[in-house]
Amino acid sequence: MKTESKRFRTRYGIAVLLIVCAVMLPLLQAPSPGYATDTNFALQFDGNTDYVKIDNKERVIFGSTNWTGTKSISVWVKPLEPSQICDGSTPSGCKLIVGDRPRFWGIYRGLITIGQYAGLDRIWIWNQDSDTMDVIPIIYTPGEWIHITLVHVDGHLYAYRYGFLAGSRVSGNSIGIDGAGLENITEFHIGGGITNAEKVFLFRGLIDEVRVYNRALTGEQIRADLFRELTPTFEPALKAYYRMSDGSGLGLTDDSGNGNHGTLLDGKTPEVPPDGTYPLWVTSDVFGDGTVVPTIPPTFTVTATFTNTPSITPSPTRTLSPTPYPPGFTPSVTPTRTATLNPNFTNFLFMPLVSK
């Protein structure tokens, strides 16, 4: 009996030990990454030598040549002071936030000092089609996060600020050298690009939540996902998603699962020697720490929207129509950081068909 009792106690003790281990083991394991618990990261660019190049070419990212006429790219961006001076008189000489290289379209930032846009410090949405460079300026405040979306569809270019339309322009398909498509060689860049020592377009500031679609987004769709990370299952039109989830290292993961990963770069040898620093991983405050919900600024500055109106003359008539105010927003009596735009100025810039 004593032997049986001892065996029983031994078996009972082993069973209790196994139960305790089963309960405690998950608590001792490191928590698996999740969209709700991950630390939010962003990439900070110094404007000197660092930027990100996506490894796949533009045609591979978008899945076809349709990107030249249909695309949506959104980004949270915090430009840092001082404002950067653009090279030349057009936005293609400003500093690349998100765009391609050679430079045919993009979201750029900078102060233009000469030409038609002289004196304007803006985030620039632009596209080069077969005839013109079509430009939409967006007012911003250095040191503050702003959400920008470029939408290109059906021969029109649209710019959204916090998911509200800030401007639109007639704009055809993005072009290549001498009008020939470059979909097989064009690169997708984040935070800057370098052609040579004289053509350096490196952004200074923070970038987070870059989303690339091969379809047009509406304002309602942009606003629906404005203040949250996307979670699987993703829609097929989301071709690349840079949630800045890595937090360290020299690789940028495409969180869409499509494999369009990027590489953090320092300079471009031999044109621009490296300075020893790469884009810096920093904690992002776009979405706060899960308890702080960012809000749209109390004042919403409306920029001019130019549209083509049919006319009996060959030259289209430009009409000025203000973008509607978002629900619940009242414009300031004295708008801040605004510039008077002349609705009669010539909007076409005849220039070489490629910006390298």
Side-chain angles (χ1 to χ4, degrees):
M1 292 295 293
K2 291 183 179 180
T3 301
E4 293 293 333
S5 177
K6 184 176 181 181
R7 290 175 179 174
F8 175 80
R9 288 195 300 270
T10 301
R11 292 172 181 172
Y12 178 80
I14 293 174
V16 170
L17 179 62
L18 291 174
I19 293 173
V20 171
C21 290
V23 173
M24 293 299 295
L25 186 59
L27 300 178
L28 296 176
Q29 292 176 331
S32 60
Y35 282 85
T37 59
D38 282 353
T39 300
N40 292 315
F41 294 104
L43 279 175
Q44 181 168 327
F45 300 84
D46 62 13
N48 294 325
T49 60
D50 50 45
Y51 61 103
V52 173
K53 181 176 76 70
I54 305 308
D55 300 335
N56 290 333
K57 303 302 182 184
E58 204 155 22
R59 180 175 185 174
V60 175
I61 296 171
F62 284 102
S64 71
T65 60
N66 291 339
W67 69 267
T68 60
T70 303
K71 52 185 170 287
S72 296
I73 296 91
S74 69
V75 58
W76 276 100
V77 58
K78 181 193 283 188
L80 297 180
E81 294 185 296
S83 298
Q84 294 172 276
I85 305 299
C86 303
D87 299 331
S89 60
T90 71
S92 69
C94 297
K95 309 308 176 183
L96 184 154
I97 297 172
V98 179
D100 64 359
R101 203 205 68 80
R103 308 186 312 281
F104 303 129
W105 62 270
I107 304 173
Y108 282 52
R109 175 261 183 132
L111 170 62
I112 295 178
T113 58
I114 60 176
Q116 155 178 15
Y117 302 109
L120 293 184
D121 181 5
R122 297 288 185 268
I123 289 177
W124 304 93
I125 310 296
W126 66 276
N127 177 61
Q128 177 72 54
D129 62 17
S130 59
D131 295 320
T132 66
M133 174 179 286
D134 304 302
V135 177
I136 304 172
I138 305 293
I139 295 171
Y140 75 99
T141 301
E144 295 182 5
W145 284 104
I146 184 173
H147 187 271
I148 299 294
T149 306
L150 176 155
V151 176
H152 187 205
V153 65
D154 295 334
H156 287 77
L157 181 68
Y158 301 91
Y160 290 87
R161 182 176 182 264
Y162 297 106
F164 294 100
L165 186 64
S168 65
R169 303 297 294 276
V170 172
S171 190
N173 288 0
S174 305
I175 59 137
I177 292 179
D178 297 328
L182 284 181
E183 61 271 5
N184 291 316
I185 64 173
T186 47
E187 300 173 346
F188 190 85
H189 283 221
I190 299 173
I194 299 173
T195 299
N196 52 46
E198 287 72 42
K199 295 182 178 181
V200 180
F201 313 101
L202 301 177
F203 169 74
R204 181 188 299 119
L206 281 69
I207 294 177
D208 198 0
E209 287 291 317
V210 179
R211 304 170 186 180
V212 180
Y213 297 81
N214 68 352
R215 71 170 181 90
L217 296 177
T218 66
E220 291 78 7
Q221 291 167 340
I222 297 169
R223 295 194 296 273
D225 295 326
L226 188 64
F227 294 129
R228 69 179 184 91
E229 295 175 341
L230 302 181
T231 56
T233 302
F234 301 118
E235 64 166 290
L238 180 67
K239 293 303 179 181
Y241 178 29
Y242 305 104
R243 193 169 57 90
M244 309 304 177
S245 57
D246 301 271
S248 63
L250 299 180
L252 178 62
T253 296
D254 171 15
D255 296 291
S256 74
N258 291 320
N260 294 311
H261 307 303
T263 301
L264 280 61
L265 298 174
D266 175 23
K268 181 183 179 183
T269 307
E271 292 90 344
V272 177
D275 67 359
T277 64
Y278 290 82
L280 179 65
W281 291 103
V282 297
T283 301
S284 173
D285 53 353
V286 163
F287 298 123
D289 58 3
T291 61
V292 179
V293 178
T295 57
I296 297 176
T299 58
F300 187 90
T301 305
V302 177
T303 57
T305 299
F306 293 92
T307 58
N308 279 337
T309 302
S311 172
I312 60 174
T313 60
S315 299
T317 301
R318 300 288 183 175
T319 60
L320 176 64
S321 58
T323 302
Y325 293 111
F329 290 92
T330 303
S332 301
V333 176
T334 304
T336 58
R337 301 183 63 81
T338 61
T340 301
L341 298 182
N342 181 356
N344 298 312
F345 72 82
T346 302
N347 297 298
F348 296 100
L349 299 175
F350 296 94
M351 56 181 298
L353 298 184
V354 60
S355 297
K356 290 187 176 180

